[in-house]
């Protein structure tokens, strides 16, 4: 049986703190692939340099190297 999905850790740099909550990170990560879990340091906001989330990546899907996030105030992050 061929394995097509693998777990991959993704880092989100320069993400505003209001986006670090589980629901928001899940929405952002869903733009890439299926979110699995947040790293403990991300969940507890113990390290604020970047948020780190484990996703299930399909090896046959095209991989994005960036996504655009539109904040409620209309600011765009890339």
């Amino acid at each position: 049986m061929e394995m097509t999905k693998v777990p991959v850790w993704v880092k989100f740099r320069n993400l505003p703190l209001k986006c670090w909550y589980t629901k928001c990170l899940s929405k952002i990560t869903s733009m890439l692939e299926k979110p699995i879990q947040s790293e403990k340091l991300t969940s507890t906001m113990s390290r604020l340099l970047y948020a780190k989330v484990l996703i299930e990546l399909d090896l046959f899907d095209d991989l994005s190297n960036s996504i655009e996030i539109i904040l409620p105030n209309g600011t765009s992050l890339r």
Side-chain angles (χ1 to χ4, degrees), residues 3-4 10-11 19 22 29 31-32 36-37 43-44 49 52-53 58 62 71 76:
M3 190 166 114
T4 63
V10 177
K11 290 181 183 178
C19 295
T22 304
T29 310
M31 295 172 68
L32 294 170
I36 299 173
Q37 72 180 41
S43 299
T44 60
L49 183 60
K52 193 171 175 183
V53 180
D58 189 326
D62 290 333
L71 300 176
S76 175

Side-chain angles (χ1 to χ4, degrees), residues 18 68-77:
K18 60 185 166 190
E68 184 176 12
I69 301 167
I70 309 278
L71 300 176
N73 66 2
T75 304
S76 175
L77 300 175

Side-chain angles (χ1 to χ4, degrees), residues 25-41:
L25 276 175
S26 180
K27 284 183 180 183
I28 292 169
T29 310
S30 294
M31 295 172 68
L32 294 170
E33 285 289 340
K34 179 183 172 187
I36 299 173
Q37 72 180 41
S38 295
E39 175 194 41
K40 184 176 181 179
L41 294 174

Side-chain angles (χ1 to χ4, degrees), residues 3-14:
M3 190 166 114
T4 63
K5 296 187 180 191
V6 294
V8 176
W9 286 102
V10 177
K11 290 181 183 178
F12 294 98
R13 297 187 185 277
N14 304 317

